[in-house]
Amino acid sequence: MSAVYTVDKNTYLTTSSSMSYDLKIPGNGKMTIDVVCKMRNINKIENITIPEEAKNATTINNIKK
């Protein structure tokens, strides 16, 4: 696995990240995964609306961990 994070030199907030995975799969298989994320408008959220379904959700108590 390889990970690269780019940060803003003034705020030290992450502006982008890149991750690369090389996986070996049993049976001579291989897989490569590349993920690139770019962040923008950090901390500029004006309004968050929680849906009524989430506000009225029921708790599930019997979940096996």
Side-chain angles (χ1 to χ4, degrees):
M1 178 183 157
S2 170
V4 176
Y5 291 92
T6 305
V7 298
D8 182 279
K9 68 179 181 179
N10 296 316
T11 63
Y12 300 107
L13 294 172
T14 303
T15 56
S16 67
S17 66
S18 173
M19 291 184 224
S20 178
Y21 305 87
D22 287 322
L23 307 170
K24 292 182 181 177
I25 301 170
N28 293 330
K30 294 181 181 180
M31 180 184 296
T32 300
I33 302 171
D34 293 314
V35 179
V36 177
C37 300
K38 294 185 180 187
M39 286 63 105
R40 58 189 170 95
N41 296 327
I42 299 171
N43 291 333
K44 294 184 181 178
I45 297 172
E46 294 181 14
N47 188 15
I48 297 175
T49 304
I50 300 173
E52 289 300 318
E53 300 87 19
K55 291 179 186 178
N56 300 318
T58 56
T59 302
I60 300 173
N61 294 319
N62 296 327
I63 296 176
K64 293 182 181 181
K65 294 181 180 179

